[in-house]
Amino acid sequence: MGIAAARGPRRDARVHPGQGGDTVRLRRVQDTLDATRPAYTRARKPFDRRRYAYLVLALSVLGRAGTQIALSELADAVAAEAGRVDGLGMDTERKADRDAFVDAVAWLETRGALRMADGSAVDWVNDPEHAEALYDIDREITGAVYAPSRVLQHLNSVTDLLGDAASAGPEQGINAERRRTGRRARRLALEQPVVYYADVDEGLRGQLRAPALAEDLERLTGLPLERRAEGVALINTGGRLTDVTFPGTGTVAQAALLLCARIAGYLASSRHRVELLPAATAAERLADASARIDAALPARSGVTALLADAGHAAATDSATATDSAGRPSAAAPPGDALPPGDALPSGDAMPSGDVAAEATKAAGREATYPFLSDSWLRAELTKLVKEFGRGMSERQIADPASLLDDVLHLLASVGFVARTDGGVLILPLLARYRGVTAQLKETIK
């Protein structure tokens, strides 16, 4: 079926009404830590930690600057700030550091926070003694790019910036809890290409099945919500509200689509030989990611630690549901639950998601998914390259390991697979592309 999965709204929506140049940004509430949406360098490689650090320091410097700034002036200021951070540093005499810094600047330029007025950043990277670049600063966009909901020094964990924990207010009670759960369900359906019932708790599962969810999303976005036995997906055929479409163009997208068909065919014919393994839930993935990030938080002074603890306690208290008498209430009911609805006929979808979750719960087991090893994936991709390589980029097929990594990253980002040690777990949405056929047209150079 040629239906693209909705990948979520484009990241930095901005409009310029009239001649005032006012910037409007949709501020998104993040419910999880998503490693599939990194910032990218000029060479389309994901940012490393150094580039993220330079980006944040550049924003800090720009917040104190005027209407224009020279690239060398910005670099010197960022270098001075970076020198105060243990293990970071920035030496403008080193080309690697200049490259990383200009990647951060280019990211801001792409989003309109900076606009080249004169010169060349590339020339400055190659010869900072004789080249320069001058940027106009859009202060409204600069301020909108990064505006944390809480003072960073007061955080106990990166999770304090997520979801309703980042904006918890005085609203309490069982109805307030139901509204918060409903908002989170709508965010998940809009932001994620697919939401699997087995991946969320009972309250969210009920909200995802509620009639109001589909009605609200279709009214607000114009996109239909598709329900299957395994979960829900917002179908975005035109690509108007997505930053990653699938199927797509280019070697990685083509190879990913062909690999999907190969995987689906293999599972249909050899299911009895495929090992089934449980996948980490969204809560488990968040706990693992946040623990790794929190381990890098700097040591805090006694006063800062007390402020963070007090802020965390206040946020927790304000988010606690209470009844009309102020007593802690039970968890909000799941709401207007629906049956799975529109479930694929038996054998039409892979045995996972809610159906598998309920069956395995009765047997005291977790939901499980087909596991395919890296070696099997490498072998199948090699076959696909041999068969269809004339229609793919010569540069990318010359490095099959990198191509496979890019393919799996794409498939994970659209909810088709879950990467795990030694291979991937195959998720239900991949079955949509089991009937793909390919025809070579022309070579991509």
Side-chain angles (χ1 to χ4, degrees):
M1 300 174 67
I3 300 178
R7 186 61 184 85
R10 297 182 186 277
R11 286 210 139 198
D12 296 287
R14 58 180 186 267
V15 297
H16 300 277
Q19 298 180 351
D22 293 335
T23 296
V24 178
R25 181 182 179 187
L26 178 65
R27 293 197 180 278
R28 294 160 54 193
V29 175
Q30 295 291 119
D31 288 301
T32 190
L33 302 172
D34 187 356
T36 68
R37 298 182 180 184
Y40 285 98
T41 69
R42 293 164 292 156
R44 296 302 299 167
K45 298 294 183 182
F47 266 32
D48 54 18
R49 296 177 69 180
R50 179 174 298 275
R51 284 169 169 80
Y52 279 120
Y54 291 167
L55 174 60
V56 173
L57 292 177
L59 282 167
S60 175
V61 172
L62 292 172
R64 303 189 298 269
T67 58
Q68 284 191 325
I69 193 167
L71 185 59
S72 60
E73 179 187 355
L74 179 59
D76 289 341
V78 169
E81 297 290 344
R84 300 187 179 97
V85 181
D86 291 341
L88 180 59
M90 175 176 154
D91 185 354
T92 56
E93 298 297 318
R94 296 181 66 247
K95 186 175 185 299
D97 284 4
R98 294 197 302 272
D99 268 322
F101 166 70
V102 169
D103 279 336
V105 171
W107 189 93
L108 291 170
E109 187 178 4
T110 299
R111 281 145 188 84
L114 295 173
R115 185 173 59 255
M116 179 77 71
D118 193 17
S120 168
V122 174
D123 290 345
W124 180 84
V125 168
N126 294 323
D127 187 3
E129 294 296 325
H130 299 95
E132 183 60 279
L134 180 67
Y135 288 94
D136 294 326
I137 303 172
D138 189 314
R139 300 190 63 81
E140 291 183 342
I141 295 179
T142 301
V145 166
Y146 180 67
S149 55
R150 297 184 60 185
V151 179
L152 299 186
Q153 291 90 333
H154 297 176
L155 298 181
N156 277 293
S157 169
V158 68
T159 56
D160 292 343
L161 294 173
L162 299 178
D164 291 313
S167 56
E171 191 178 35
Q172 298 181 3
I174 195 168
N175 290 330
E177 180 63 24
R178 185 184 290 111
R179 284 192 291 271
R180 280 192 289 267
T181 304
R183 287 195 298 269
R184 187 179 175 203
R186 289 189 290 273
R187 289 197 299 264
L188 282 173
L190 180 62
E191 293 279 348
Q192 302 302 322
V194 60
V195 183
Y196 295 114
Y197 294 136
D199 207 28
V200 299
D201 59 36
E202 184 179 353
L204 274 174
R205 198 175 302 142
Q207 291 286 349
L208 290 168
R209 287 172 167 161
L213 180 82
E215 294 168 2
D216 287 346
L217 289 175
E218 186 165 2
R219 175 173 53 84
L220 295 171
T221 68
L223 304 180
L225 186 75
E226 181 177 298
R227 299 184 190 274
R228 297 280 175 159
E230 300 86 4
V232 299
L234 199 62
I235 305 304
N236 187 19
T237 54
R240 181 171 57 90
L241 292 177
T242 187
D243 57 352
V244 177
T245 57
F246 193 90
T249 58
T251 293
V252 172
Q254 292 170 351
L257 184 60
L258 292 170
L259 188 60
C260 282
R262 193 63 59 90
I263 289 171
Y266 176 73
L267 293 181
S269 62
S270 307
R271 188 177 302 279
H272 62 284
R273 293 185 295 182
V274 176
E275 184 179 9
L276 300 178
L277 297 176
T281 65
E284 291 168 339
R285 294 193 300 271
L286 175 59
D288 177 67
S290 62
R292 287 185 280 113
I293 293 173
D294 291 348
L297 288 176
R300 299 172 300 190
S301 67
V303 173
T304 303
L306 287 173
L307 288 171
D309 292 340
H312 184 266
T316 302
D317 290 344
S318 64
T320 301
T322 59
D323 60 19
S324 58
R327 297 183 298 269
S329 66
D336 299 321
L338 282 183
D342 292 334
L344 293 170
S346 177
D348 205 17
M350 299 188 184
S352 51
D354 196 50
V355 173
E358 294 303 322
T360 52
K361 184 188 294 184
R365 302 191 308 274
E366 298 175 280
T368 56
Y369 304 88
F371 171 80
L372 294 178
S373 67
D374 286 333
S375 60
W376 186 92
L377 295 165
R378 282 194 298 269
E380 292 304 311
L381 185 62
T382 299
K383 295 176 186 177
L384 291 171
V385 168
K386 287 180 179 178
E387 186 175 355
F388 301 103
R390 289 188 296 112
M392 298 180 179
S393 164
E394 294 179 1
R395 178 181 60 83
Q396 288 178 295
I397 64 177
D399 186 357
S402 177
L403 177 58
L404 178 61
D405 185 65
D406 290 341
V407 165
L408 295 181
H409 177 83
L410 173 60
L411 293 179
S413 73
V414 294
F416 288 12
V417 304
R419 303 188 74 168
T420 188
D421 291 340
V424 297
L425 300 177
I426 309 304
L427 303 180
L429 190 59
L430 184 142
R432 180 185 289 277
Y433 299 95
R434 61 194 174 280
V436 168
T437 57
Q439 180 180 358
L440 289 175
K441 291 186 178 179
E442 57 182 352
T443 303
I444 300 175
K445 297 296 186 182

